[in-house]
Amino acid sequence: MTVRLRTARGRSTSSQRWLARQLNDPYVAAARTAGWRSRAAFKLIELDDRFRLIRRGARVLDLGAAPGGWAQVALARGAAQVVGVDLLPIEPLAGAVFVEGDLADPAMPARLAALLGGAADLVLSDMAPRTTGHAATDHVRIVALAELAFDLAQQVLAPGGAFVTKVFQGGSERDLLAALKQRFTAVRHAKPPASRKESSELYVVATGFRAAAP
């Protein structure tokens, strides 16, 4: 059954659409029931089911970690150490360390590496820019974030490690994909079922990190 808003008083059209979508999204309800902090937790669950990304005892770096749903999944699936960073504050989570800060800060890679206590086995990035509604602009912005995440991943990943980052469909990530293929043995696109059908988001999943470019 479709849940309808009882009143639109005081809400903009866009906020009405967002609220209606939330009320009628089965993943939102499932996340609430299961205790996940966000519906996005199911995206990582589905990616991990397919690619076996989270190894027991792994060190995991979570970029764009708020509100902490991906960190929850990583810990639930056996990660020993999870470090997350976001511009927004994140409610504490047992087993994880969260940093409020900008990934573009030159001091951030060393800070995160120190908190991990060793090389990362998996770097996750669900970072996304504020969308403008202009597809080409939004695509360029998210690719820039993916490139920032990849740059950090190259600094902290252990040999054989994996990297996951979000992009939007659009084609301008060609250079990023070429660079990833130089550093990883396999690079694939995936759209987990939990991604909304109307969304243009995709995830790039790179596995088998090479410690040095050939």
Side-chain angles (χ1 to χ4, degrees), residues 66-86:
W70 278 27
Q72 281 183 299
V73 172
L75 289 168
R77 295 206 159 196
Q81 178 73 354
V82 177
V83 175
V85 60
D86 202 288

Side-chain angles (χ1 to χ4, degrees), residues 48-93:
D48 188 45
D49 285 346
R50 179 175 172 185
F51 297 105
R52 303 298 178 192
L53 299 165
I54 305 168
R55 301 172 187 169
R56 185 159 297 280
R59 291 187 177 96
V60 178
L61 183 57
D62 184 7
L63 312 177
W70 278 27
Q72 281 183 299
V73 172
L75 289 168
R77 295 206 159 196
Q81 178 73 354
V82 177
V83 175
V85 60
D86 202 288
L87 291 170
L88 301 173
I90 307 173
E91 184 181 341
L93 174 66

Side-chain angles (χ1 to χ4, degrees), residues 132-142 169 172:
T132 65
H134 184 264
T137 299
D138 293 338
H139 186 76
V140 168
R141 288 181 176 180
I142 198 168
Q169 297 177 47
S172 67

Side-chain angles (χ1 to χ4, degrees), residues 22 27-28 30-32 34-42 65-73 75 89-94 96 98:
Q22 291 294 101
Y27 282 100
V28 171
R32 191 179 300 117
W36 300 121
R37 293 187 176 188
S38 68
R39 72 183 302 285
F42 291 106
W70 278 27
Q72 281 183 299
V73 172
L75 289 168
I90 307 173
E91 184 181 341
L93 174 66
F98 293 130

Side-chain angles (χ1 to χ4, degrees), residues 8-203:
R9 186 180 301 168
R11 298 191 182 98
S12 66
T13 301
S14 61
S15 67
Q16 290 176 53
R17 284 198 299 266
W18 180 87
L19 185 54
R21 186 176 66 181
Q22 291 294 101
L23 289 171
N24 290 284
D25 188 331
Y27 282 100
V28 171
R32 191 179 300 117
T33 299
W36 300 121
R37 293 187 176 188
S38 68
R39 72 183 302 285
F42 291 106
K43 299 177 189 178
L44 181 55
I45 289 170
E46 290 160 356
L47 289 171
D48 188 45
D49 285 346
R50 179 175 172 185
F51 297 105
R52 303 298 178 192
L53 299 165
I54 305 168
R55 301 172 187 169
R56 185 159 297 280
R59 291 187 177 96
V60 178
L61 183 57
D62 184 7
L63 312 177
W70 278 27
Q72 281 183 299
V73 172
L75 289 168
R77 295 206 159 196
Q81 178 73 354
V82 177
V83 175
V85 60
D86 202 288
L87 291 170
L88 301 173
I90 307 173
E91 184 181 341
L93 174 66
V97 177
F98 293 130
V99 175
E100 184 179 347
D102 190 344
L103 196 61
D105 181 348
M108 190 59 72
R111 183 180 179 188
L112 296 174
L115 289 170
L116 277 171
D121 300 292
L122 174 62
V123 175
L124 302 168
S125 174
D126 201 28
M127 293 191 296
R130 289 181 180 272
T131 54
T132 65
H134 184 264
T137 299
D138 293 338
H139 186 76
V140 168
R141 288 181 176 180
I142 198 168
V143 169
L145 289 177
E147 289 172 342
L148 183 64
F150 174 44
D151 182 63
L152 177 57
Q154 292 179 86
Q155 298 178 58
V156 301
L157 270 176
F163 171 60
V164 177
T165 187
K166 177 154 64 181
V167 296
F168 291 154
Q169 297 177 47
S172 67
E173 75 272 17
R174 248 184 257 107
D175 291 343
L176 171 63
L177 293 174
L180 285 167
K181 289 173 182 177
Q182 289 293 311
R183 301 306 304 270
F184 293 88
T185 58
V187 178
R188 290 161 286 189
H189 279 99
K191 186 175 177 68
S195 288
R196 291 188 172 100
K197 291 181 180 179
E198 69 273 17
S199 172
S200 63
E201 74 176 9
L202 288 173
Y203 289 89

